[in-house]
Amino acid sequence: MLREATVYIDGKWRSAASGETFSSTNPATGAVLDTVADGGRAEARLAIEAATAALPGWRAKTAYERADILIAAHRIMLERQDELATLMTKEQGKPLRMARTEVGYAADFLLWFAEEAKRVYGEVIPSSRADQRFLVLQQPVGVCAAITPWNYPVSMITRKVAPALAAGCTSVLKPAEQTPLCAIETFRVFEDAGVPPGVVNLVTCSEPEPVADEILADPNVRKISFTGSTEIGKMIAARAGATMKRVSMELGGHAPFLVFEDADPEHAAKGAALVKFLNTGQACICPNRFIVHRSIVDRFLKTLRARVEGLVPGDGLVKGTTVGPLIDEPALAKMTRQVDDAVAKGATVIVGGTKLTGETFDNGHFFAPTILSEVTADMVICSEETFGPIAPVLVFDDEAEAVEMANSTSYGLAGYIYTRDISRAIRVAEALDFGMIGINDINPTSAAVPFGGIKESGLGREGARAGITEYLDTKVLGIAL
Ligand code: NAP
């Protein structure tokens, strides 16, 4: 099936003016799934114009009217949960059960922000002058652009577009080139929910730069929200300064996973196996360093190894698969490079360590779930984000050393602590320079809590009450009586 009319502007599906297309492929099988419009500058410009023209009408709607549309989108997305999940598994690779979970998470943002739309409160501030009143209003920022990655190809869209819509902003989205079909189906949900023409616009494209250039140069775009690598995020944030756009940056991570001597090492290892191999390690909150007390590292490794050996790599559509492929060939090459570097510097491969081969794997991008022990800070894997199924294990001897090891990264997104000592849990959580901390818990995320990082992991928060304030400007009215 060819779906070349996949650019959605002003409520209409259209082809690229250039007539160019590109393909979306299944990372598990290499099969071409579909062909989509390859948008560029022209489409980006039209999309911004449509969003600009639609802004006055959308921001004038009441919060209740905007919420009703988001509630309809939530219902439609859940009605299509199986269909969307199957498409996601084919296009992105995660096992079907995990894809269903992601669609549920994506829908959560639609409902959460439908509710938050009605809670955009202002303030009345006392004045020192008896004849004066101060009112503080919260108003929509305006036209907002969003650039999203492939690893969570539906929820990363709703996490940005839902708060924008709730706040009264209009949007232009550029999705990742690897997952345009998920973006298209997400936009069909918006369309079918009754989002008016021009309020949400989609530019599928294979080359991000021309579209990003147009977005960044246009003074009508008042905000850009980006999720992706720190390298590209820094570049976009710097360029957004030229027209003083607001920015939200959800960038890379290098999460430490601390297991103290008083923790249950088996329980910690079970959690470690679940969160490390989530989405084949391709989640920004996946642990990138397991920092384990020397006294319990053998027990931790024994359980982790048993769990990893029990993982079933393969095509996510096949029943029983628990780990899917990596997204592409460069990702696979990065795994080999990080393992080779670690081994050359003294690490031991406990399990895995190589690309998977054989009939099930040869047409896809599969790397064996891997554990490395005797890992040290000088190894590339300790500073570069892995974004794949490799669990490097380091040891420590005391708490201060563990905290120092954990914080010795330029990233600051997620971190994990396993301990049965409540004082230590709080002390260490306060000392860690990360935006989200799991304490004996591997999922410190929900539509209801602020998601985001510090240091080079980003700026701003998504989800929660904070998520909508990112799309609101503050205005003060000083009134003389
Ligand atoms: P990426 O290369 O930075 O790509 C992310 C998005 O940016 C894609 O839509 C991509 O388009 C676009 N892009 C690439 N180069 C660009 C440019 N020069 N100008 C404008 N846009 C550009 O990141 P990725 O490898 O796809 O995603 C993985 C990264 O995302 C990891 O670092 C991960 O930690 C991070 N991430 C963070 C969060 C979070 O919430 N903090 C969540 C998920 C992922 P193309 O696809 O067309 O190249």
Side-chain angles (χ1 to χ4, degrees):
M1 181 175 65
L2 296 184
R3 313 198 220 188
E4 291 165 14
T6 62
V7 168
Y8 185 67
I9 297 174
D10 205 16
K12 293 181 201 70
W13 292 96
R14 41 173 107 190
S15 311
S18 65
E20 296 292 319
T21 60
F22 69 105
S23 300
S24 170
T25 55
N26 183 331
T29 64
V32 171
L33 296 170
D34 220 325
T35 304
V36 301
D38 198 357
R41 270 184 188 281
E43 287 69 30
R45 198 172 317 119
L46 288 173
I48 296 167
E49 282 169 14
T52 307
L55 182 64
W58 183 247
R59 61 179 276 163
K61 285 197 182 297
T62 66
Y64 285 81
E65 290 169 319
R66 294 197 297 267
D68 283 346
I69 291 177
L70 284 165
I71 289 167
H74 172 256
R75 177 180 48 76
I76 294 169
M77 185 167 272
L78 289 181
E79 283 167 7
R80 298 179 189 171
Q81 187 162 13
D82 287 336
E83 198 182 306
L84 276 164
T86 304
L87 175 68
M88 191 190 297
T89 296
K90 287 185 186 164
E91 191 175 42
Q92 190 270 334
K94 69 183 57 147
L96 195 52
R97 194 169 58 79
M98 285 80 166
R100 281 191 100 255
T101 303
E102 184 189 333
V103 178
Y105 180 55
D108 284 350
F109 289 107
L110 298 169
L111 186 58
W112 174 264
F113 285 111
E115 290 160 345
E116 284 302 294
K118 301 173 211 162
R119 287 187 257 285
V120 173
Y121 303 136
E123 272 183 297
V124 178
I125 297 180
S127 166
S128 60
R129 272 170 45 199
D131 68 343
Q132 189 186 37
R133 301 291 180 269
F134 285 128
L135 296 189
V136 181
L137 309 184
Q138 299 293 335
Q139 296 192 306
V141 163
V143 175
C144 298
I147 298 181
T148 50
W150 47 266
N151 62 339
Y152 285 87
V154 176
S155 58
M156 293 303 98
I157 296 176
T158 57
R159 204 163 77 174
K160 296 183 190 307
V161 174
L165 292 179
C169 298
T170 55
S171 296
V172 174
L173 173 80
K174 191 219 85 61
E177 69 182 277
Q178 293 95 335
T179 51
L181 302 179
C182 285
I184 292 161
E185 292 310 316
T186 303
F187 267 64
R188 287 202 197 284
V189 170
F190 294 137
E191 182 184 26
D192 295 344
V195 177
V199 171
V200 290
N201 303 276
L202 169 70
V203 183
T204 50
C205 64
S206 67
E207 292 294 332
E209 286 86 359
V211 173
D213 284 351
E214 204 63 38
I215 287 171
L216 284 161
D218 196 320
N220 284 320
V221 178
R222 295 312 316 142
K223 176 184 171 79
I224 181 158
S225 177
F226 173 82
T227 296
S229 60
T230 293
E231 181 196 356
I232 305 291
K234 283 181 180 175
M235 183 273 289
I236 289 176
R239 289 184 59 197
T243 46
M244 208 44 81
K245 298 185 199 316
R246 288 180 58 165
V247 291
S248 291
M249 293 282 146
E250 297 290 349
L251 309 178
H254 207 282
F257 188 108
L258 303 174
V259 187
F260 287 95
E261 62 272 33
D262 54 47
D264 171 350
E266 283 80 28
H267 179 64
K270 287 176 191 168
L274 283 170
V275 65
K276 174 68 235 187
F277 299 96
L278 182 74
N279 203 11
T280 319
Q282 301 170 116
C284 50
I285 63 163
C286 279
N288 217 122
R289 290 162 295 149
F290 293 90
I291 301 173
V292 184
H293 194 269
R294 193 179 301 280
S295 65
I296 56 165
V297 71
D298 290 342
R299 285 173 64 198
F300 176 84
L301 277 171
K302 185 165 176 246
T303 304
L304 184 61
R305 177 179 186 152
R307 290 276 159 158
V308 171
E309 286 176 339
L311 294 172
V312 183
D315 182 337
L317 284 184
V318 174
K319 206 163 184 284
T321 298
T322 55
V323 191
L326 287 160
I327 192 70
D328 54 22
E329 215 46 50
L332 201 51
K334 185 182 194 183
M335 299 308 112
T336 306
R337 180 167 59 71
Q338 287 200 351
V339 170
D340 289 351
D341 169 81
V343 169
K345 292 174 182 161
T348 302
V349 177
I350 303 273
V351 56
T354 55
K355 177 181 165 163
L356 289 168
T357 53
E359 201 185 333
T360 312
F361 307 117
D362 284 348
N363 294 324
H365 315 292
F366 290 94
F367 197 82
T370 297
I371 304 173
L372 298 174
S373 69
E374 289 154 274
V375 170
T376 48
D378 57 325
M379 297 173 186
V380 170
I381 199 164
C382 282
S383 52
E384 182 183 72
E385 186 181 28
T386 300
F387 232 55
I390 307 175
V393 181
L394 299 87
V395 293
F396 72 92
D397 292 299
D398 67 55
E399 185 181 303
E401 183 192 8
V403 170
E404 194 189 321
M405 287 165 80
N407 282 342
S408 61
T409 168
S410 55
Y411 293 106
L413 193 59
Y416 304 86
I417 302 166
Y418 274 71
T419 175
R420 282 185 280 207
D421 177 340
I422 183 73
S423 305
R424 166 175 272 158
I426 292 172
R427 192 168 59 235
V428 173
E430 287 179 357
L432 290 181
D433 297 330
F434 296 85
M436 295 174 280
I437 312 273
I439 299 176
N440 299 317
D441 185 63
I442 53 167
N443 188 11
T445 66
S446 151
V449 302
F451 189 109
I454 60 174
K455 291 162 73 177
E456 295 190 11
S457 286
L459 277 178
R461 293 293 180 270
E462 292 190 323
R465 165 161 293 208
I468 196 164
T469 62
E470 303 271 340
Y471 292 86
L472 293 166
D473 279 332
T474 298
K475 183 184 282 178
V476 169
L477 311 186
I479 309 160
L481 301 185

